[in-house]
Amino acid sequence: MSVAKWISTQLCSRPAIMELTLALVLLFGFWSTYGHASDLPSGIQRCAIVDEQCLENGVNYVLRNYAQSGIKELGLIPLDPLHVKKFKIGRNPHSPVNIDLSFHEMDILGLHQGVARRVSGFTTDLSRPIELVMDVPEIGVRGPYSVDGRILILPITGKGNADIRLTKTKVRALIKFKPISKGDHQTYAEVVDIKVELDPSHVTYHLENLFNGQKDLSENMHALINENWKDIFSELKPGIGEAFGLIAKSVLDRIFGKLPLEHLFVV
């Protein structure tokens, strides 16, 4: 089963799950800056749909003030920590990183420290992709994992707790919408495509109980994966981006299905 099909089976199991999407997360903040003025907590500004600086400022305000608490009345779940129910990347026999890697009940930490650098592309006719670019100083991924397969030239197997840290990560999301008309001056947005990319400056991996706790084998594997972190992350990157994109689409469709653009923006 592909990553896309596997993740899609999980989206209905828990409405508020998110995940590693990191970019996804950012997208929650992205929406919550635009709510109808009467519904917004103090300090959140309702923006003109083409005012990119206002939108960027709004994202950063939400991240600083609401990433850890969420905004219940707007459907914004806490983003830090961001809880991931299930996440899995399947084997790729054509890759030097040919593994089954899965996580469950894990947390993503550090997103509240993210800073939006660009929010662009919104127009009233939704004709262009919306781009969100963010820098996050450190992203932590912690929780139970299991892995089996081969990395580079060595077999790997293990099951336990993982602590993975991404340093100085650039998060980029491209989102395409289509308009859905529902009566006079009632235009809703539906996500038709979303792509998420994570580009860290460095990644460190710590996986407990590799090789059933055999110390020498575990130490050798940790040396291998941490010395070759860039190549390993590059091989896993397409699957991570695909999974995060599907999760983000599910959440954004629920959010943008609640209120029309005429209420979300000054148009």
PDB file of all heavy atoms in Angstrom, residues 128-130 174-178 190-195:
ATOM      1  N   ARG A 128      -4.201  31.356  -8.137  1.00  0.00           N
ATOM      2  CA  ARG A 128      -2.800  31.004  -7.963  1.00  0.00           C
ATOM      3  C   ARG A 128      -2.617  30.130  -6.725  1.00  0.00           C
ATOM      4  O   ARG A 128      -3.389  30.221  -5.766  1.00  0.00           O
ATOM      5  CB  ARG A 128      -1.956  32.270  -7.783  1.00  0.00           C
ATOM      6  CG  ARG A 128      -1.890  33.171  -8.986  1.00  0.00           C
ATOM      7  CD  ARG A 128      -0.840  34.249  -8.763  1.00  0.00           C
ATOM      8  NE  ARG A 128      -1.180  35.116  -7.635  1.00  0.00           N
ATOM      9  CZ  ARG A 128      -0.298  35.928  -7.033  1.00  0.00           C
ATOM     10  NH1 ARG A 128       0.953  35.948  -7.437  1.00  0.00           N
ATOM     11  NH2 ARG A 128      -0.683  36.699  -6.043  1.00  0.00           N
ATOM     12  N   PRO A 129      -1.583  29.292  -6.725  1.00  0.00           N
ATOM     13  CA  PRO A 129      -1.281  28.542  -5.505  1.00  0.00           C
ATOM     14  C   PRO A 129      -0.914  29.491  -4.369  1.00  0.00           C
ATOM     15  O   PRO A 129      -0.288  30.533  -4.597  1.00  0.00           O
ATOM     16  CB  PRO A 129      -0.075  27.678  -5.897  1.00  0.00           C
ATOM     17  CG  PRO A 129      -0.074  27.645  -7.383  1.00  0.00           C
ATOM     18  CD  PRO A 129      -0.673  28.954  -7.827  1.00  0.00           C
ATOM     19  N   ILE A 130      -1.305  29.145  -3.171  1.00  0.00           N
ATOM     20  CA  ILE A 130      -0.922  29.910  -1.989  1.00  0.00           C
ATOM     21  C   ILE A 130       0.369  29.310  -1.459  1.00  0.00           C
ATOM     22  O   ILE A 130       0.475  28.088  -1.306  1.00  0.00           O
ATOM     23  CB  ILE A 130      -2.022  29.879  -0.908  1.00  0.00           C
ATOM     24  CG1 ILE A 130      -3.199  30.767  -1.319  1.00  0.00           C
ATOM     25  CG2 ILE A 130      -1.487  30.369   0.426  1.00  0.00           C
ATOM     26  CD1 ILE A 130      -4.119  30.184  -2.316  1.00  0.00           C
ATOM     27  N   LEU A 174       2.766  24.578  -0.568  1.00  0.00           N
ATOM     28  CA  LEU A 174       2.060  25.132  -1.721  1.00  0.00           C
ATOM     29  C   LEU A 174       0.654  24.533  -1.740  1.00  0.00           C
ATOM     30  O   LEU A 174       0.502  23.303  -1.770  1.00  0.00           O
ATOM     31  CB  LEU A 174       2.775  24.805  -3.023  1.00  0.00           C
ATOM     32  CG  LEU A 174       3.973  25.664  -3.416  1.00  0.00           C
ATOM     33  CD1 LEU A 174       4.605  25.122  -4.691  1.00  0.00           C
ATOM     34  CD2 LEU A 174       3.571  27.123  -3.602  1.00  0.00           C
ATOM     35  N   ILE A 175      -0.363  25.386  -1.736  1.00  0.00           N
ATOM     36  CA  ILE A 175      -1.742  24.918  -1.631  1.00  0.00           C
ATOM     37  C   ILE A 175      -2.546  25.460  -2.806  1.00  0.00           C
ATOM     38  O   ILE A 175      -2.495  26.662  -3.098  1.00  0.00           O
ATOM     39  CB  ILE A 175      -2.396  25.406  -0.327  1.00  0.00           C
ATOM     40  CG1 ILE A 175      -1.461  25.179   0.861  1.00  0.00           C
ATOM     41  CG2 ILE A 175      -3.737  24.710  -0.087  1.00  0.00           C
ATOM     42  CD1 ILE A 175      -1.627  26.190   1.943  1.00  0.00           C
ATOM     43  N   LYS A 176      -3.273  24.582  -3.470  1.00  0.00           N
ATOM     44  CA  LYS A 176      -4.169  25.001  -4.543  1.00  0.00           C
ATOM     45  C   LYS A 176      -5.603  24.781  -4.106  1.00  0.00           C
ATOM     46  O   LYS A 176      -5.963  23.695  -3.622  1.00  0.00           O
ATOM     47  CB  LYS A 176      -3.882  24.205  -5.823  1.00  0.00           C
ATOM     48  CG  LYS A 176      -2.539  24.524  -6.463  1.00  0.00           C
ATOM     49  CD  LYS A 176      -2.359  23.753  -7.761  1.00  0.00           C
ATOM     50  CE  LYS A 176      -1.027  24.072  -8.416  1.00  0.00           C
ATOM     51  NZ  LYS A 176      -0.837  23.312  -9.675  1.00  0.00           N
ATOM     52  N   PHE A 177      -6.422  25.815  -4.277  1.00  0.00           N
ATOM     53  CA  PHE A 177      -7.836  25.756  -3.934  1.00  0.00           C
ATOM     54  C   PHE A 177      -8.684  25.850  -5.205  1.00  0.00           C
ATOM     55  O   PHE A 177      -8.224  26.286  -6.255  1.00  0.00           O
ATOM     56  CB  PHE A 177      -8.226  26.929  -3.026  1.00  0.00           C
ATOM     57  CG  PHE A 177      -7.656  26.892  -1.650  1.00  0.00           C
ATOM     58  CD1 PHE A 177      -6.496  27.594  -1.338  1.00  0.00           C
ATOM     59  CD2 PHE A 177      -8.276  26.164  -0.644  1.00  0.00           C
ATOM     60  CE1 PHE A 177      -5.975  27.586  -0.066  1.00  0.00           C
ATOM     61  CE2 PHE A 177      -7.760  26.144   0.635  1.00  0.00           C
ATOM     62  CZ  PHE A 177      -6.609  26.859   0.926  1.00  0.00           C
ATOM     63  N   LYS A 178      -9.944  25.481  -5.064  1.00  0.00           N
ATOM     64  CA  LYS A 178     -10.938  25.824  -6.085  1.00  0.00           C
ATOM     65  C   LYS A 178     -12.131  26.436  -5.364  1.00  0.00           C
ATOM     66  O   LYS A 178     -12.437  26.070  -4.216  1.00  0.00           O
ATOM     67  CB  LYS A 178     -11.361  24.602  -6.889  1.00  0.00           C
ATOM     68  CG  LYS A 178     -12.200  23.582  -6.134  1.00  0.00           C
ATOM     69  CD  LYS A 178     -12.648  22.468  -7.090  1.00  0.00           C
ATOM     70  CE  LYS A 178     -13.501  21.432  -6.347  1.00  0.00           C
ATOM     71  NZ  LYS A 178     -13.945  20.340  -7.251  1.00  0.00           N
ATOM     72  N   GLU A 190     -12.089  24.995  -1.490  1.00  0.00           N
ATOM     73  CA  GLU A 190     -11.813  23.570  -1.307  1.00  0.00           C
ATOM     74  C   GLU A 190     -10.390  23.276  -1.790  1.00  0.00           C
ATOM     75  O   GLU A 190      -9.993  23.708  -2.886  1.00  0.00           O
ATOM     76  CB  GLU A 190     -12.803  22.728  -2.105  1.00  0.00           C
ATOM     77  CG  GLU A 190     -12.568  21.220  -1.988  1.00  0.00           C
ATOM     78  CD  GLU A 190     -13.555  20.425  -2.820  1.00  0.00           C
ATOM     79  OE1 GLU A 190     -14.758  20.786  -2.829  1.00  0.00           O
ATOM     80  OE2 GLU A 190     -13.135  19.453  -3.475  1.00  0.00           O
ATOM     81  N   VAL A 191      -9.624  22.559  -0.978  1.00  0.00           N
ATOM     82  CA  VAL A 191      -8.254  22.228  -1.348  1.00  0.00           C
ATOM     83  C   VAL A 191      -8.267  21.154  -2.436  1.00  0.00           C
ATOM     84  O   VAL A 191      -8.889  20.105  -2.278  1.00  0.00           O
ATOM     85  CB  VAL A 191      -7.458  21.710  -0.130  1.00  0.00           C
ATOM     86  CG1 VAL A 191      -6.034  21.328  -0.552  1.00  0.00           C
ATOM     87  CG2 VAL A 191      -7.422  22.768   0.972  1.00  0.00           C
ATOM     88  N   VAL A 192      -7.582  21.423  -3.541  1.00  0.00           N
ATOM     89  CA  VAL A 192      -7.468  20.418  -4.603  1.00  0.00           C
ATOM     90  C   VAL A 192      -6.075  19.805  -4.656  1.00  0.00           C
ATOM     91  O   VAL A 192      -5.883  18.729  -5.216  1.00  0.00           O
ATOM     92  CB  VAL A 192      -7.835  21.013  -5.982  1.00  0.00           C
ATOM     93  CG1 VAL A 192      -9.296  21.394  -6.012  1.00  0.00           C
ATOM     94  CG2 VAL A 192      -6.955  22.206  -6.334  1.00  0.00           C
ATOM     95  N   ASP A 193      -5.096  20.491  -4.086  1.00  0.00           N
ATOM     96  CA  ASP A 193      -3.741  19.930  -4.059  1.00  0.00           C
ATOM     97  C   ASP A 193      -2.932  20.664  -3.004  1.00  0.00           C
ATOM     98  O   ASP A 193      -3.138  21.863  -2.772  1.00  0.00           O
ATOM     99  CB  ASP A 193      -3.060  20.088  -5.428  1.00  0.00           C
ATOM    100  CG  ASP A 193      -1.719  19.369  -5.488  1.00  0.00           C
ATOM    101  OD1 ASP A 193      -1.645  18.225  -4.997  1.00  0.00           O
ATOM    102  OD2 ASP A 193      -0.741  19.948  -6.000  1.00  0.00           O
ATOM    103  N   ILE A 194      -2.037  19.942  -2.356  1.00  0.00           N
ATOM    104  CA  ILE A 194      -1.151  20.569  -1.380  1.00  0.00           C
ATOM    105  C   ILE A 194       0.166  19.803  -1.353  1.00  0.00           C
ATOM    106  O   ILE A 194       0.188  18.575  -1.374  1.00  0.00           O
ATOM    107  CB  ILE A 194      -1.794  20.610   0.031  1.00  0.00           C
ATOM    108  CG1 ILE A 194      -0.869  21.301   1.019  1.00  0.00           C
ATOM    109  CG2 ILE A 194      -2.169  19.234   0.526  1.00  0.00           C
ATOM    110  CD1 ILE A 194      -1.557  21.656   2.329  1.00  0.00           C
ATOM    111  N   LYS A 195       1.244  20.562  -1.356  1.00  0.00           N
ATOM    112  CA  LYS A 195       2.586  19.975  -1.286  1.00  0.00           C
ATOM    113  C   LYS A 195       3.342  20.618  -0.137  1.00  0.00           C
ATOM    114  O   LYS A 195       3.328  21.840   0.020  1.00  0.00           O
ATOM    115  CB  LYS A 195       3.338  20.189  -2.598  1.00  0.00           C
ATOM    116  CG  LYS A 195       2.775  19.406  -3.777  1.00  0.00           C
ATOM    117  CD  LYS A 195       3.569  19.658  -5.050  1.00  0.00           C
ATOM    118  CE  LYS A 195       3.110  18.736  -6.179  1.00  0.00           C
ATOM    119  NZ  LYS A 195       1.692  18.934  -6.524  1.00  0.00           N
TER     120      LYS A 195
END
